[in-house]
Amino acid sequence: MKLLIVGATGTLGRQIARRALDEGHEVQCLVRSFQRAAFLREWGVTLVRGNLCQSETLKPALEGVDAVIDAATARPNDAINKVDWDGKVNLIQAAKVADVKRFIFVSILGADQYPDVPLMQIKSGIEKFLAESGLPYTILSPCGFLQGLIGQYAIPILEKQGVWVMGETAPIAFMDTQDIARFAISALSNESTVNRSFPLAGTRPWGAYEIVRLCERLSGQDARVSKMPMKLLKAVRKLAGYLQWGWNLADRLAFTEVIVGSEPITAPMDEVYETFEIEAKEITTLEAYMGEYFSRIMKKLKELDYDRDKNSKKKLPF
């Protein structure tokens, strides 16, 4: 198939592009900046300059395209409603006009359950808009990405920096973006996934302190954990909402409402595995993901120490 991938410079989008290329698809990606997406061109991707919020740029990007995979979301400095609502509506309408055969949309698990959280409300609205568009679609709704845990937990612990943990947050069933990409590409040729929505949850939900303890064990270092009260985040959100420059910040802080509580954020996956013909044992666990990361890092640190010792010995006068 000829694919248009949107959001390909992001954490998930780049894995979808890589998987699509590996499986022999012709891939082009809609990007705002060729410079930022240079790595995609090196992989063999065709880059098309465009912007979801500029509908006139979408028609040329969709010429000859068989399927669209939308893994885009607003960047921190973008307005959520502009990109995640206006932009996605533009994309779906343009894909309809271009007679695209499949549309894969990456949403968020439980988006329809949080109407007071802007991003969730918008994601839920786009799910409905897509379903009513007449396009053959598949909606994938992950809980969270394993990749995000590296910067939140692993790196601060290795660098002996503080790890911030929000109190009263629910355990989350994070999934590797490479696994999510596999589901996305698999959906293209699987008729059983047409006009259906699927949750994507990792092997089990993990709480923040469980992740900290795992990282301590794998790194051999103790973590300096600081607890951020949920009340403080809510107060900051309320204050930001009063200031025009803080509206986007307030929208993002509202997402903390989703992870409050003790009820795990996960979903049953047996039917999903069966439909996609993927076995549960093939899904990357958090232990394996973190274990591989720390193994690579610790090996690199040992090599650096060895080179440092070797160079210092060369400078000795005997």
Side-chain angles (χ1 to χ4, degrees), residues 26-51:
E26 180 183 351
V27 180
Q28 63 183 39
C29 298
L30 184 75
V31 297
R32 296 190 225 178
S33 166
F34 286 165
Q35 183 177 3
R36 181 174 178 178
F39 70 95
L40 292 170
R41 180 175 280 159
E42 292 174 2
W43 290 356
V45 167
T46 299
L47 301 181
V48 182
R49 193 187 299 277
N51 190 321

Side-chain angles (χ1 to χ4, degrees), residues 182-225:
R182 182 180 177 186
F183 281 100
I185 300 304
S186 175
L188 294 170
S189 58
N190 188 332
E191 291 299 316
S192 299
T193 69
V194 177
N195 296 342
R196 295 180 64 185
S197 299
F198 299 92
L200 292 182
T203 54
R204 78 169 180 88
W206 284 74
Y209 288 100
E210 283 186 292
I211 299 172
V212 169
R213 287 193 292 271
L214 175 65
C215 291
E216 287 179 322
R217 178 167 58 81
L218 292 171
S219 67
Q221 299 186 34
D222 293 331
R224 290 168 42 207
V225 180

Side-chain angles (χ1 to χ4, degrees), residues 53 74 78-89 118-119 122 126 247-248 251-252:
C53 299
D78 292 329
I80 292 175
N81 63 314
K82 288 292 184 182
V83 175
D84 286 278
W85 178 257
D86 294 345
K88 301 308 178 74
V89 167
L119 181 60
I122 290 172
I126 290 298
W247 287 348
N248 195 29
D251 286 348
R252 294 179 182 278

Side-chain angles (χ1 to χ4, degrees), residues 102-104 127 130-131 135-139 193-197:
R102 292 297 302 279
F103 196 108
I104 313 297
E127 288 182 21
L130 178 58
L135 284 168
Y137 69 89
T138 302
I139 296 171
T193 69
V194 177
N195 296 342
R196 295 180 64 185
S197 299

Side-chain angles (χ1 to χ4, degrees), residues 49-50 61 64 70 96 123 217 244-245:
R49 193 187 299 277
D70 176 15
K96 178 72 173 176
K123 290 286 189 184
R217 178 167 58 81
Q244 185 172 355
W245 59 263

Side-chain angles (χ1 to χ4, degrees), residues 309-318:
D309 290 343
K310 186 169 64 174
N311 290 334
S312 64
K313 289 178 181 178
K314 287 181 179 178
K315 296 178 182 179
L316 294 176
F318 49 85

